[in-house]
Amino acid sequence: MPSEQYTEERTTIAAQATVSGNGAIHILRISGSLAHDLLRQCFSPASRSFADFEPWKLHHGTMKDKDGRPLDDVLCVFMPGPATYTGEDCAEIYCHGGQAIASLVLETLYAMGARPAKRGEFTQRAFLNGRMDLSQAEAVAELIAAPGREAAEQSLRRLDGELARRVKEVRSALETVRVHMSLAVDFPDDEVEILDRPSFLEHVKKASHSLGLLLTGVKRASLVQHGARVVLAGCANAGKSSLMNALLGRNRALVTDIPGTTRDFIEESVFFAGLPVRLIDTAGLRKADDKVENLGIAMSREQATHADCLIIVLDGEVLKTDGAQAAACPDAAFRELLDQAPDTLPVVVAWNKSDVAWPDVSEPCWCTRKDGSRLPFLAVSARTGAGIDQLCQVVRNEVLGDEKNYIEHVAPNERQASALRHAHAELEGLISDIEAGQLYDLLSVRLDSACTFLDDCIGIGTAQDVLNKVFEGFCIGK
């Protein structure tokens, strides 16, 4: 752990661990060598038998300011290091949930020698004291910010150290290879035990494969943590705004029977079967004489290209059964959107206004991609709500893929993934160099680089500016 990089004096810090405002209780945290003394100075025990703070036990009493005036009826606990969250002596004060009370207690702690904690400083101290690696520290903030169950489960796996364990396994295997390689470079003419090239290649391929598996879940982890961009697009008056309102469960988008009502895109947050979604309603695609509407249509096309999933909304009332049974979709907007959609972009087709005109076919023949693969096709009604829940589930499945592949799977976050991608690229290059017969001393450069990137992933030797960037994203008190 890079404790030598932490140059700030290890003063005792204190902060509010609960959200600001009024509530049932507030929790105040203290970490540092003065934790015990601070409690002794400002805490008056309710029990006559109280002699000192028994570690890890709640004590009832009165919190007083530096002049001895009572502030609140509280519970306190002292936790001696190093077996604490930060690795230092820690204490917590549980006071009533008035923000004024919490602020007064904190002011007392600051007056007696503590200083206000910075963002993420408790967790930063835990990292610097070896209580957790950097991937676990990041998982703390991600767990707090998790928008749903799957994101929380991913964060818990990283907090448990699963990602670090897998990275360290790869790192250890590469270190063994590096030792043998160093022997081959330093003692080329001596009879020392080194790996032959086939064995060397096998070890590197195994390590590269392990990193590849870790990287497979990066996009999914990002989507469940930060949300998927789902864009509603289609022709004018297809009912996109009505469908958005139905998906949101409230009237957000303006709905009229006048074509071109939506001239700008509207974005709202919602959950699709547990998946956090940024749902975007766009202007209908058509030939328009209005300059402002044309600007909105241009923005619609742009939004469609940046989506994580595109829902093409069809006007069932216009297409009717004949349109569903036609050899080609009569909807020009559908053809344009599908033609411009990247091959990797999930696309779902929603036949809207099914309460007025049912398609009478489960899969229209034109509901296919260029490669012939079928597109999910659903009949829905924004007016009655029919098919809305199914649409949410289908979009989730299209965005996240086969969930069986990700059961108990741990995925890195974007910073960790960047380091792993660089390490993986170095190993893939190393494989090519081994197969090309490069000399061992040249091969060692790539191997050293791969190990360095793996160290970066879990915070070994990480530069101070990287650490600052990680922890400044935390809330105060964590």
Side-chain angles (χ1 to χ4, degrees), residues 306-363:
H306 293 92
D308 294 308
C309 182
L310 179 63
I311 301 178
I312 302 180
V313 184
L314 302 178
D315 189 339
E317 188 175 11
V318 172
L319 295 181
K320 296 185 172 56
T321 303
D322 290 343
Q325 297 177 345
C329 181
D331 190 320
F334 170 84
R335 297 194 302 270
E336 176 190 338
L337 290 165
L338 193 58
D339 184 61
Q340 295 179 355
D343 294 337
T344 56
L345 174 64
V347 178
V348 176
V349 182
W351 175 286
N352 194 23
K353 306 179 185 179
S354 62
D355 55 314
V356 177
W358 188 262
D360 282 344
V361 290
S362 58
E363 292 184 343

Side-chain angles (χ1 to χ4, degrees), residues 136-153:
Q136 290 174 297
E138 289 173 298
V140 173
E142 291 161 1
L143 182 60
I144 293 171
R149 178 170 181 170
E150 187 168 351
E153 289 175 347

Side-chain angles (χ1 to χ4, degrees), residues 297-308:
I297 291 171
M299 294 173 68
S300 297
R301 295 187 172 101
E302 182 181 1
Q303 288 294 324
T305 61
H306 293 92
D308 294 308

Side-chain angles (χ1 to χ4, degrees), residues 166-237:
R166 295 191 184 187
V167 172
K168 288 177 180 177
E169 286 174 1
V170 176
R171 179 68 170 77
S172 177
L174 292 180
E175 189 62 36
T176 300
V177 173
R178 188 155 66 167
V179 169
H180 286 278
M181 182 181 292
S182 297
L183 290 172
V185 172
D186 296 338
F187 306 99
D189 300 323
D190 295 344
E191 294 183 0
V192 295
E193 184 180 354
I194 62 172
L195 289 174
D196 55 35
R197 281 188 178 265
S199 299
F200 182 21
L201 182 62
E202 181 182 353
H203 280 75
V204 176
K205 283 185 174 180
K206 184 177 180 180
S208 180
H209 178 69
S210 297
L211 294 186
L213 289 178
L214 282 175
L215 288 167
T216 55
V218 172
K219 182 177 181 181
R220 179 190 178 93
S222 178
L223 289 169
V224 299
Q225 182 73 38
H226 304 293
R229 291 175 58 87
V230 177
V231 174
L232 297 167
C235 67
N237 260 24

Side-chain angles (χ1 to χ4, degrees), residues 17-161:
T18 44
V19 178
S20 297
N22 295 329
I25 62 170
H26 275 309
I27 302 174
L28 310 180
R29 309 182 77 182
I30 308 170
S31 180
S33 58
L34 296 179
H36 183 270
D37 290 341
L38 289 174
L39 284 188
R40 291 285 296 178
Q41 292 179 57
C42 59
F43 177 76
S44 177
S47 173
R48 293 181 179 179
S49 62
F50 177 88
D52 197 359
F53 288 96
E54 183 179 342
W56 308 99
K57 180 179 178 180
L58 283 173
H59 296 272
H60 176 224
T62 302
M63 186 62 56
K64 297 183 178 181
D65 65 16
K66 62 179 182 178
D67 297 321
R69 293 175 298 184
L71 296 175
D72 190 21
D73 187 55
V74 301
L75 293 174
C76 294
V77 59
F78 173 68
M79 299 165 282
T84 62
Y85 181 76
T86 64
E88 304 172 336
D89 285 354
C90 292
E92 289 185 354
I93 301 170
Y94 305 86
C95 60
H96 287 94
Q99 186 57 54
I101 295 173
S103 298
L104 288 171
V105 176
L106 283 174
E107 288 175 8
T108 299
L109 296 175
Y110 300 150
M112 291 181 173
R115 68 160 174 81
K118 300 175 183 177
R119 287 184 176 273
E121 191 169 5
F122 290 95
T123 304
Q124 185 176 25
R125 291 190 175 196
F127 165 69
L128 294 168
N129 290 328
R131 295 293 293 168
M132 59 178 68
D133 61 62
L134 191 57
S135 67
Q136 290 174 297
E138 289 173 298
V140 173
E142 291 161 1
L143 182 60
I144 293 171
R149 178 170 181 170
E150 187 168 351
E153 289 175 347
Q154 279 287 346
S155 299
L156 279 172
R157 292 187 191 116
R158 289 198 292 271
L159 182 58
D160 188 48

